[in-house]
Amino acid sequence: MKLGIVGLPNVGKSTLFNAITRAGAQAANYPFCTIEPNTGVVPVPDSRLDVLAQMYNPKKVTPATVEFVDIAGLVKGASRGEGLGNKFLSHIREVDAIVHVVRCFEDENIIHVDGSIDPARDIDVIQLELIFADLETVDRRAAKAMQLFKGGDKKHAVEAELATRLKAHLENGKPARTFDMTDDEREIVRGWFLLTDKPVIYAANIADSEIGPDMDDLPYVKAVRAIADSEGSQVFTVSAQIEEEIAQMDPEEKEEFLNELGLGQSGLDRLITACYSLLGLISFLTSGSDECRAWTIVNGTKAPQAAGKIHTDFERGFIRAEVVAYDDLIANGSMNACKEKGLVRSEGKEYVMKDGDIVLFRFNV
């Protein structure tokens, strides 16, 4: 999973990136501090993996991972090359989902490129630049499809008509992800790699003094949520400054600090949970004395394709999957106890994987 962190300059993108990856991306109080995108890979927090590690005492524990890309701040006119322009847009095309950081705090010591705090305006600036870039893409697709249609290739009539409808939608200032499409049309549009078709999570970045149980009710945060709700996106409230402090703490100190703030999870944990939900992802687990590992798959993946995540030979020579639910394994204490009680199931090629399945794949190549 590759997530692109975007936003206007000086909204806290790089500070948030530093906090969640500890990768040391430069953060400073001037626009275009980030030019080349910084990347960092972080483990997905999964307490189930920790429990399995205690049970099996493996040589290695390997969590699932998320790659974050800190993309330089966009400005009005980016689609026409303003600021660092199209270079940024190309970086966004490469990610699976967008984490859009929106400034929701006042601070006279930190410059805002538009001179004031207005989350709705800031979101609109970014969204319009991505829409302008998508309009160029859709125009090119429509022209090419129409040319092929006139040349006698009738299947391109559908693509030309789809591009015409989508163009009208974009011209109304609406992102492609809110465009009403059939499954077949969505498959076509997916191949166009549109920026506004990517799922979005809005990170409402608030002041450290505002962190607490009521932070989702802050006026600026509510403004962000209203926009997210209108387009089917998600929001999580965070203080990038606080997250940077949390990133330096050991686990016990971190837990105590989060409890003092009235938070159950860090911003990173909440962000990854939201991303998994947004992208329809789940994890299955493999365990043993050599390694305990979490694997990320799309919800609805069948057993052979899940096996292919481990190795292509596993999918090619798939025979069956021996599956036990995580809760059953923990409740009974061992795989042998689960087998004695008939809780280890033998599943075939049509089995749809479930979150928390602990699996041993049988295959023959």
Side-chain angles (χ1 to χ4, degrees):
M1 180 163 60
K2 192 173 184 180
L3 305 174
I5 303 177
V6 306
L8 292 172
N10 293 347
V11 297
K13 291 185 305 82
S14 293
T15 303
L16 181 61
F17 176 82
N18 285 347
I20 59 182
T21 65
R22 305 186 203 179
Q26 190 180 6
N29 184 24
Y30 55 89
F32 310 123
C33 170
T34 305
I35 299 176
E36 292 300 326
N38 297 289
T39 62
V41 177
V42 299
V44 174
D46 193 333
S47 58
R48 299 171 302 192
L49 199 58
D50 298 333
V51 174
L52 289 177
Q54 290 177 358
M55 184 180 289
Y56 286 93
N57 193 25
K59 296 172 186 172
K60 187 164 67 167
V61 177
T62 309
T65 58
V66 177
E67 181 178 357
F68 285 95
V69 183
D70 178 26
I71 297 169
L74 288 166
V75 293
K76 194 178 293 183
S79 60
R80 302 187 304 276
E82 294 292 330
L84 295 175
N86 294 320
K87 192 172 186 180
F88 296 171
L89 300 179
S90 68
H91 296 150
I92 297 172
R93 290 191 198 281
E94 297 169 3
V95 302
D96 299 309
I98 294 170
V99 179
H100 184 166
V101 182
V102 184
R103 182 169 166 179
C104 294
F105 65 90
E106 303 275 1
D107 188 334
E108 61 184 21
N109 296 314
I110 300 178
I111 301 163
H112 189 292
V113 288
D114 286 323
S116 63
I117 308 303
D118 184 339
R121 177 204 60 210
D122 292 354
I123 289 172
D124 200 45
V125 168
I126 299 289
Q127 186 128 285
L128 283 175
E129 291 310 317
L130 302 186
I131 285 172
F132 290 148
D134 281 350
L135 276 168
E136 289 185 19
T137 301
V138 171
D139 270 338
R140 288 196 301 271
R141 289 288 182 170
K144 184 177 180 181
M146 190 57 70
Q147 186 179 16
L148 291 168
F149 173 58
K150 288 178 179 178
D153 193 343
K154 294 184 179 180
K155 70 177 183 180
H156 287 282
V158 173
E159 189 171 348
E161 189 273 336
L162 173 61
T164 301
R165 283 192 290 118
L166 180 52
K167 180 181 177 182
H169 180 83
L170 292 168
E171 286 176 336
N172 284 327
K174 298 175 181 177
R177 61 183 168 274
T178 65
F179 182 57
D180 190 24
M181 291 179 268
T182 66
D183 290 342
D184 288 342
E185 288 173 338
R186 176 155 292 287
E187 199 59 38
I188 293 171
V189 171
R190 190 173 289 120
W192 297 351
F193 301 103
L194 299 179
L195 302 174
T196 64
D197 194 36
K198 293 182 182 296
V200 171
I201 292 179
Y202 291 101
N205 187 18
I206 63 175
D208 54 3
S209 60
E210 295 174 318
I211 280 287
D214 300 324
M215 60 189 182
D216 289 335
D217 294 325
L218 296 167
Y220 286 148
V221 176
K222 283 184 173 180
V224 175
R225 190 172 302 282
I227 293 168
D229 289 346
S230 72
E231 59 182 49
S233 296
Q234 295 190 26
V235 180
F236 85 107
T237 309
V238 66
S239 166
Q241 204 69 46
I242 289 285
E243 289 300 316
E244 203 164 32
E245 291 178 32
I246 290 172
Q248 309 304 318
M249 298 177 181
D250 61 44
E252 287 183 10
E253 188 183 11
K254 172 183 167 182
E255 186 177 354
E256 185 178 337
F257 185 64
L258 289 172
N259 288 336
E260 285 177 8
L261 293 173
L263 303 176
Q265 294 178 301
S266 70
L268 172 59
D269 292 356
R270 288 184 287 117
L271 173 57
I272 291 176
T273 299
C275 290
Y276 264 60
S277 172
L278 187 70
L279 294 173
L281 301 175
I282 61 173
S283 294
F284 72 90
L285 307 159
T286 53
S287 58
S289 58
D290 285 335
E291 183 181 32
C292 289
R293 182 163 181 167
W295 305 83
T296 301
I297 54 173
V298 175
N299 197 6
T301 298
K302 292 183 178 180
Q305 287 68 51
K309 283 284 184 180
I310 300 175
H311 197 285
T312 52
D313 284 351
F314 283 30
E315 180 176 359
R316 189 159 55 92
F318 179 88
I319 299 172
R320 67 180 184 277
E322 294 177 5
V323 184
V324 63
Y326 170 81
D327 289 342
D328 287 339
L329 177 63
I330 300 310
N332 289 278
S334 72
M335 190 66 77
N336 285 336
C338 288
K339 287 178 180 177
E340 288 172 4
K341 293 185 178 181
L343 297 172
V344 179
R345 310 182 310 275
S346 181
E347 301 287 1
K349 292 182 178 180
E350 295 304 310
Y351 176 68
V352 176
M353 301 291 292
K354 296 179 177 61
D355 187 51
D357 276 348
I358 299 172
V359 192
L360 173 65
F361 293 108
R362 300 293 186 184
F363 71 103
N364 183 34
V365 177

